Amino acid sequence: MTTARNELERHARYQQPVALLMVDIDHFKQINDTYGHLAGDEVLKAVSSVFVDMVRTSDCLARLGGEEFAVLMPQTALDAAMVAAERLRMAVAKVRCPLDEDVAAPTVSVGIAIAPDGNETLSSLMRRSDLAMYDAKGRGRNCVVVAPDRNAKQVA
């Protein structure tokens, strides 16, 4: 969180874009409930390994808890964030984890929020990307959704 706040401050100072991806493993509770927490841990390790391999060294990857992760992408505008998120989603979809007599094929839902000039609080950016991630889940999971601009009018 400290790293993310520092990055946002730096990007606001230089008026540079920053992207935040919120990533949640789809149906993770079902994996834990069906196969046990050790199997869930194996899925977490496999998916985490994909994240580590896919994010740039300049990005900040964090596990927020359970099956939810965040990727802060400095100097990243919307187009590049969408490409990165889709690449990440597709890479996870290729993962296969042997579980007892079955195989888990995890997928992820991704929400993207952009601070085009870095001038946004971390909590606001996280809230917007989290809402977009839940929107991705509502659209059937295993997809990427972009949060509306923070200045966009909300429709009731």
Side-chain angles (χ1 to χ4, degrees):
M1 296 302 240
T2 301
T3 300
R5 282 188 189 94
N6 290 342
E7 281 296 320
L8 277 172
E9 287 176 15
R10 186 169 64 86
H11 283 72
R13 185 176 332 124
Y14 296 110
Q15 299 290 294
Q16 296 174 329
V18 63
L20 180 64
L21 279 54
M22 294 294 271
V23 185
D24 192 72
I25 301 173
D26 298 325
H27 303 294
F28 185 74
K29 183 181 181 329
Q30 192 174 36
I31 293 169
N32 274 338
D33 291 349
T34 303
Y35 302 102
H37 290 280
L38 290 178
D41 287 348
E42 291 306 312
V43 171
L44 275 173
K45 288 178 193 174
V47 172
S48 297
S49 178
V50 169
F51 294 163
V52 168
D53 290 345
M54 298 292 295
V55 301
R56 305 171 301 187
T57 56
S58 61
D59 296 338
C60 180
L61 170 66
R63 180 175 174 202
L64 299 180
E67 68 278 11
E68 192 170 38
F69 297 82
V71 181
L72 185 74
M73 304 177 74
Q75 297 178 329
T76 305
L78 180 58
D79 289 349
M82 288 173 53
V83 168
E86 190 60 28
R87 207 175 300 154
L88 187 65
R89 185 197 65 77
M90 290 188 310
V92 170
K94 293 178 183 175
V95 170
R96 297 296 177 264
C97 299
L99 307 174
D100 294 332
E101 297 173 13
D102 202 357
V103 174
T107 60
V108 293
S109 296
V110 184
I112 302 172
I114 303 292
D117 57 3
N119 198 6
E120 185 169 356
T121 66
L122 180 58
S123 63
S124 171
L125 195 61
M126 288 180 73
R127 183 173 34 259
R128 291 191 312 108
S129 59
D130 201 46
L131 288 172
M133 186 263 302
Y134 278 105
D135 190 9
K137 289 192 171 294
R139 294 182 189 194
R141 295 179 166 80
N142 192 28
C143 65
V144 175
V145 172
V146 176
D149 182 277
R150 71 180 173 148
N151 297 320
K153 298 286 184 210
Q154 298 296 323
V155 178

